Amino acid sequence: MIHVRDHPAVLVSIDGDPIFQDLEGPNLEYVVNTAFFMVREPGQRPLYLRGSGTWFTATDVAGPWTVATDLPEDVISITPQLEAEEKEQAE
């Protein structure tokens, strides 16, 4: 399948249906069967995806994904660690 967009986009691939596992520390679950960092509050929607230094949100893994403007506290709490990891990877 070929996907064409006329605006910036990311193809988020997941190996089958999302499999959620508890994230150690904050009260979040993450998708274990994807290379992307995707989390949610346990059993809840929406999903939050970290990419290009930005949080995106969607109610379904298939999207549409939009820039998140209101993050849960547990997502906010992990952001500094993710930013440090992103900075380290960029160097």
PDB file of all heavy atoms in Angstrom, residues 22-38:
ATOM      1  N   ASP A  22       2.118  -1.809  31.400  1.00  0.00           N
ATOM      2  CA  ASP A  22       2.330  -0.710  32.351  1.00  0.00           C
ATOM      3  C   ASP A  22       3.723  -0.132  32.193  1.00  0.00           C
ATOM      4  O   ASP A  22       4.696  -0.872  32.039  1.00  0.00           O
ATOM      5  CB  ASP A  22       2.150  -1.198  33.789  1.00  0.00           C
ATOM      6  CG  ASP A  22       0.701  -1.532  34.110  1.00  0.00           C
ATOM      7  OD1 ASP A  22      -0.191  -1.070  33.386  1.00  0.00           O
ATOM      8  OD2 ASP A  22       0.481  -2.272  35.086  1.00  0.00           O
ATOM      9  N   LEU A  23       3.802   1.185  32.240  1.00  0.00           N
ATOM     10  CA  LEU A  23       5.075   1.892  32.221  1.00  0.00           C
ATOM     11  C   LEU A  23       5.524   2.043  33.667  1.00  0.00           C
ATOM     12  O   LEU A  23       4.738   2.438  34.530  1.00  0.00           O
ATOM     13  CB  LEU A  23       4.891   3.263  31.566  1.00  0.00           C
ATOM     14  CG  LEU A  23       6.127   4.102  31.293  1.00  0.00           C
ATOM     15  CD1 LEU A  23       7.018   3.411  30.265  1.00  0.00           C
ATOM     16  CD2 LEU A  23       5.728   5.468  30.770  1.00  0.00           C
ATOM     17  N   GLU A  24       6.767   1.701  33.943  1.00  0.00           N
ATOM     18  CA  GLU A  24       7.272   1.797  35.306  1.00  0.00           C
ATOM     19  C   GLU A  24       7.346   3.258  35.728  1.00  0.00           C
ATOM     20  O   GLU A  24       7.918   4.091  35.027  1.00  0.00           O
ATOM     21  CB  GLU A  24       8.659   1.164  35.386  1.00  0.00           C
ATOM     22  CG  GLU A  24       9.152   0.986  36.800  1.00  0.00           C
ATOM     23  CD  GLU A  24      10.455   0.219  36.868  1.00  0.00           C
ATOM     24  OE1 GLU A  24      10.607  -0.765  36.113  1.00  0.00           O
ATOM     25  OE2 GLU A  24      11.306   0.624  37.657  1.00  0.00           O
ATOM     26  N   GLY A  25       6.765   3.568  36.865  1.00  0.00           N
ATOM     27  CA  GLY A  25       6.782   4.937  37.374  1.00  0.00           C
ATOM     28  C   GLY A  25       5.421   5.585  37.261  1.00  0.00           C
ATOM     29  O   GLY A  25       4.546   5.334  38.085  1.00  0.00           O
ATOM     30  N   PRO A  26       5.213   6.394  36.216  1.00  0.00           N
ATOM     31  CA  PRO A  26       3.924   7.100  36.104  1.00  0.00           C
ATOM     32  C   PRO A  26       2.782   6.125  35.813  1.00  0.00           C
ATOM     33  O   PRO A  26       3.001   5.001  35.367  1.00  0.00           O
ATOM     34  CB  PRO A  26       4.139   8.060  34.939  1.00  0.00           C
ATOM     35  CG  PRO A  26       5.228   7.454  34.124  1.00  0.00           C
ATOM     36  CD  PRO A  26       6.103   6.711  35.103  1.00  0.00           C
ATOM     37  N   ASN A  27       1.583   6.583  36.064  1.00  0.00           N
ATOM     38  CA  ASN A  27       0.392   5.764  35.839  1.00  0.00           C
ATOM     39  C   ASN A  27       0.011   5.805  34.355  1.00  0.00           C
ATOM     40  O   ASN A  27      -0.966   6.437  33.967  1.00  0.00           O
ATOM     41  CB  ASN A  27      -0.759   6.271  36.723  1.00  0.00           C
ATOM     42  CG  ASN A  27      -1.957   5.357  36.657  1.00  0.00           C
ATOM     43  OD1 ASN A  27      -1.833   4.154  36.474  1.00  0.00           O
ATOM     44  ND2 ASN A  27      -3.124   5.931  36.814  1.00  0.00           N
ATOM     45  N   LEU A  28       0.834   5.147  33.525  1.00  0.00           N
ATOM     46  CA  LEU A  28       0.626   5.109  32.084  1.00  0.00           C
ATOM     47  C   LEU A  28       0.870   3.697  31.559  1.00  0.00           C
ATOM     48  O   LEU A  28       1.596   2.919  32.177  1.00  0.00           O
ATOM     49  CB  LEU A  28       1.590   6.065  31.369  1.00  0.00           C
ATOM     50  CG  LEU A  28       1.440   7.553  31.652  1.00  0.00           C
ATOM     51  CD1 LEU A  28       2.614   8.321  31.053  1.00  0.00           C
ATOM     52  CD2 LEU A  28       0.114   8.077  31.109  1.00  0.00           C
ATOM     53  N   GLU A  29       0.269   3.406  30.424  1.00  0.00           N
ATOM     54  CA  GLU A  29       0.541   2.180  29.679  1.00  0.00           C
ATOM     55  C   GLU A  29       1.192   2.580  28.365  1.00  0.00           C
ATOM     56  O   GLU A  29       0.863   3.631  27.808  1.00  0.00           O
ATOM     57  CB  GLU A  29      -0.754   1.433  29.357  1.00  0.00           C
ATOM     58  CG  GLU A  29      -1.540   1.002  30.560  1.00  0.00           C
ATOM     59  CD  GLU A  29      -2.886   0.415  30.176  1.00  0.00           C
ATOM     60  OE1 GLU A  29      -3.484   0.846  29.172  1.00  0.00           O
ATOM     61  OE2 GLU A  29      -3.338  -0.468  30.909  1.00  0.00           O
ATOM     62  N   TYR A  30       2.106   1.756  27.864  1.00  0.00           N
ATOM     63  CA  TYR A  30       2.727   2.046  26.574  1.00  0.00           C
ATOM     64  C   TYR A  30       2.509   0.879  25.622  1.00  0.00           C
ATOM     65  O   TYR A  30       2.255  -0.250  26.048  1.00  0.00           O
ATOM     66  CB  TYR A  30       4.212   2.370  26.728  1.00  0.00           C
ATOM     67  CG  TYR A  30       5.100   1.198  27.077  1.00  0.00           C
ATOM     68  CD1 TYR A  30       5.880   0.580  26.105  1.00  0.00           C
ATOM     69  CD2 TYR A  30       5.168   0.711  28.378  1.00  0.00           C
ATOM     70  CE1 TYR A  30       6.698  -0.491  26.423  1.00  0.00           C
ATOM     71  CE2 TYR A  30       5.984  -0.349  28.700  1.00  0.00           C
ATOM     72  CZ  TYR A  30       6.742  -0.949  27.723  1.00  0.00           C
ATOM     73  OH  TYR A  30       7.550  -2.021  28.037  1.00  0.00           O
ATOM     74  N   VAL A  31       2.585   1.168  24.339  1.00  0.00           N
ATOM     75  CA  VAL A  31       2.403   0.141  23.310  1.00  0.00           C
ATOM     76  C   VAL A  31       3.746  -0.539  23.103  1.00  0.00           C
ATOM     77  O   VAL A  31       4.726   0.097  22.718  1.00  0.00           O
ATOM     78  CB  VAL A  31       1.885   0.758  21.989  1.00  0.00           C
ATOM     79  CG1 VAL A  31       1.731  -0.314  20.922  1.00  0.00           C
ATOM     80  CG2 VAL A  31       0.556   1.472  22.221  1.00  0.00           C
ATOM     81  N   VAL A  32       3.798  -1.852  23.364  1.00  0.00           N
ATOM     82  CA  VAL A  32       5.067  -2.581  23.300  1.00  0.00           C
ATOM     83  C   VAL A  32       5.413  -3.062  21.898  1.00  0.00           C
ATOM     84  O   VAL A  32       6.576  -3.333  21.612  1.00  0.00           O
ATOM     85  CB  VAL A  32       5.089  -3.783  24.275  1.00  0.00           C
ATOM     86  CG1 VAL A  32       4.942  -3.311  25.705  1.00  0.00           C
ATOM     87  CG2 VAL A  32       4.021  -4.811  23.933  1.00  0.00           C
ATOM     88  N   ASN A  33       4.433  -3.155  21.021  1.00  0.00           N
ATOM     89  CA  ASN A  33       4.688  -3.713  19.699  1.00  0.00           C
ATOM     90  C   ASN A  33       4.781  -2.647  18.604  1.00  0.00           C
ATOM     91  O   ASN A  33       4.253  -2.790  17.511  1.00  0.00           O
ATOM     92  CB  ASN A  33       3.654  -4.787  19.343  1.00  0.00           C
ATOM     93  CG  ASN A  33       2.217  -4.323  19.477  1.00  0.00           C
ATOM     94  OD1 ASN A  33       1.894  -3.447  20.259  1.00  0.00           O
ATOM     95  ND2 ASN A  33       1.341  -4.933  18.708  1.00  0.00           N
ATOM     96  N   THR A  34       5.494  -1.559  18.928  1.00  0.00           N
ATOM     97  CA  THR A  34       5.807  -0.514  17.962  1.00  0.00           C
ATOM     98  C   THR A  34       7.149   0.110  18.344  1.00  0.00           C
ATOM     99  O   THR A  34       7.540   0.071  19.512  1.00  0.00           O
ATOM    100  CB  THR A  34       4.718   0.579  17.918  1.00  0.00           C
ATOM    101  OG1 THR A  34       5.054   1.527  16.894  1.00  0.00           O
ATOM    102  CG2 THR A  34       4.557   1.296  19.233  1.00  0.00           C
ATOM    103  N   ALA A  35       7.829   0.667  17.366  1.00  0.00           N
ATOM    104  CA  ALA A  35       9.094   1.362  17.626  1.00  0.00           C
ATOM    105  C   ALA A  35       8.855   2.784  18.110  1.00  0.00           C
ATOM    106  O   ALA A  35       9.778   3.458  18.555  1.00  0.00           O
ATOM    107  CB  ALA A  35       9.945   1.380  16.358  1.00  0.00           C
ATOM    108  N   PHE A  36       7.623   3.244  18.055  1.00  0.00           N
ATOM    109  CA  PHE A  36       7.268   4.605  18.464  1.00  0.00           C
ATOM    110  C   PHE A  36       6.917   4.631  19.946  1.00  0.00           C
ATOM    111  O   PHE A  36       6.452   3.639  20.496  1.00  0.00           O
ATOM    112  CB  PHE A  36       6.090   5.123  17.639  1.00  0.00           C
ATOM    113  CG  PHE A  36       6.419   5.287  16.188  1.00  0.00           C
ATOM    114  CD1 PHE A  36       6.274   4.228  15.312  1.00  0.00           C
ATOM    115  CD2 PHE A  36       6.890   6.495  15.699  1.00  0.00           C
ATOM    116  CE1 PHE A  36       6.595   4.371  13.966  1.00  0.00           C
ATOM    117  CE2 PHE A  36       7.207   6.644  14.364  1.00  0.00           C
ATOM    118  CZ  PHE A  36       7.062   5.579  13.498  1.00  0.00           C
ATOM    119  N   PHE A  37       7.125   5.780  20.597  1.00  0.00           N
ATOM    120  CA  PHE A  37       6.765   5.914  22.002  1.00  0.00           C
ATOM    121  C   PHE A  37       5.322   6.397  22.072  1.00  0.00           C
ATOM    122  O   PHE A  37       5.021   7.567  21.816  1.00  0.00           O
ATOM    123  CB  PHE A  37       7.705   6.882  22.732  1.00  0.00           C
ATOM    124  CG  PHE A  37       7.477   6.880  24.211  1.00  0.00           C
ATOM    125  CD1 PHE A  37       7.950   5.841  24.993  1.00  0.00           C
ATOM    126  CD2 PHE A  37       6.773   7.897  24.814  1.00  0.00           C
ATOM    127  CE1 PHE A  37       7.722   5.818  26.363  1.00  0.00           C
ATOM    128  CE2 PHE A  37       6.536   7.891  26.182  1.00  0.00           C
ATOM    129  CZ  PHE A  37       7.015   6.850  26.953  1.00  0.00           C
ATOM    130  N   MET A  38       4.420   5.462  22.407  1.00  0.00           N
ATOM    131  CA  MET A  38       3.001   5.730  22.432  1.00  0.00           C
ATOM    132  C   MET A  38       2.449   5.291  23.788  1.00  0.00           C
ATOM    133  O   MET A  38       2.677   4.156  24.204  1.00  0.00           O
ATOM    134  CB  MET A  38       2.315   4.948  21.305  1.00  0.00           C
ATOM    135  CG  MET A  38       0.884   5.286  21.073  1.00  0.00           C
ATOM    136  SD  MET A  38       0.137   4.262  19.755  1.00  0.00           S
ATOM    137  CE  MET A  38       1.272   4.460  18.409  1.00  0.00           C
TER     138      MET A  38
END
